[in-house]
Amino acid sequence: MKVSGILFVVLVACVAVSCRQKDIRVHTIHVPDMTNNAAVQAVGTALARVTGVTASNILINPEQKTVMVTYDSLQAGHKNLEFAIAEVGFRANEVPAFPGGVKTATP
């Protein structure tokens, strides 16, 4: 009985140590309506508010109208990123812009 108790403790310890703490992933998002600096700012701010994303892990390329985000997928999914952009009024990949977003008009 003592041996089985020790084996159980060792098994529980192995499982606890092997559990993932983070799952870092990179997702590229096409934002076709990101046409000016105000749009770039709005998209960056929206993404930085998503749990699992930090501002330093957001690379915005206004010329290609893409955003590359490094995020922890145990805290957010790639659709959370796309919906965060859509909520501020910009289409993100296949997610349409939400009506009433804060999208800034092109000059």
Side-chain angles (χ1 to χ4, degrees), residues 44-89:
T45 300
L47 288 170
R49 290 182 181 148
V50 176
T51 302
V53 176
T54 58
S56 62
N57 292 328
I58 302 168
L59 296 171
I60 300 176
N61 185 330
E63 291 82 28
Q64 293 184 355
K65 300 182 181 183
T66 60
V67 182
M68 187 166 40
V69 185
T70 302
Y71 66 102
D72 183 352
S73 72
L74 296 180
Q75 295 184 358
H78 71 275
K79 286 296 181 188
N80 296 107
L81 306 174
E82 294 171 1
F83 274 87
I85 295 170
E87 286 175 347
V88 294

